[in-house]
Amino acid sequence: MKKVNQETQDLYIKSLESTLNKLTNAYNSMTEKGSNTTLVNKRRSSVKIGLESLKNAWGKGYFFYDEEKILTCKDILQGIIPSIEKQIAKAREGSSQKTLNERRLNAIKLAIKSLDNRLK
């Protein structure tokens, strides 16, 4: 995995933590409404595992998942990428929304790379 400076690491970790928080809030809201939470729960779990993998790769945490869980998580995270790319394409140049989604996209790609490295 490529070297990432400390400031960038912190930004990507915060981005994934924010994404995890957003998915947790969506899950809780959907649960209260009685909606189907399967997809949001899978995404929430995958972002959590990706975040833990990235933190561990950068010496900031532990990681204890088996190969099957890693493969599933990696696939789910890859499935999130197209929707983020669409959001980036729609956002105005220089807007905070575009910056936030670009950072989220890069963080997810690094998490996928980190998970991929665990399978080698």
Side-chain angles (χ1 to χ4, degrees):
M1 202 160 92
K2 68 179 183 179
K3 292 281 184 189
V4 179
N5 68 44
Q6 185 64 48
E7 182 181 350
T8 304
Q9 286 178 15
D10 292 343
L11 287 173
Y12 289 154
I13 286 171
K14 285 179 185 174
S15 177
L16 287 178
E17 288 172 342
S18 172
T19 303
L20 180 59
N21 188 43
K22 181 178 176 184
L23 288 166
T24 298
N25 290 339
Y27 175 80
N28 292 337
S29 175
M30 291 171 73
T31 300
E32 287 175 13
K33 294 177 184 175
S35 301
N36 186 341
T37 58
T38 304
L39 179 62
V40 74
N41 195 38
K42 285 180 180 180
R43 287 181 174 181
R44 180 178 68 147
S45 176
S46 294
V47 168
K48 179 181 179 282
I49 292 168
L51 173 62
E52 289 175 9
S53 180
L54 210 48
K55 282 182 173 180
N56 178 258
W58 292 333
K60 299 178 182 179
Y62 298 100
F63 188 85
F64 300 102
Y65 295 96
D66 62 23
E67 184 176 322
E68 182 181 340
K69 191 73 171 170
I70 292 170
L71 284 168
T72 301
C73 174
K74 204 175 111 182
D75 287 344
I76 291 169
L77 289 176
Q78 287 171 328
I80 295 173
I81 290 175
S83 65
I84 297 172
E85 290 173 335
K86 286 179 187 174
Q87 292 173 16
I88 291 170
K90 289 179 185 178
R92 278 184 297 114
E93 196 61 44
S95 70
S96 60
Q97 197 63 33
K98 186 167 187 124
T99 302
L100 178 123
N101 280 315
E102 287 172 340
R103 192 173 295 143
R104 181 175 287 149
L105 179 63
N106 288 329
I108 287 175
K109 285 181 177 180
L110 280 173
I112 291 168
K113 180 68 176 161
S114 172
L115 291 166
D116 198 36
N117 287 344
R118 295 176 188 286
L119 297 171
K120 294 179 181 177

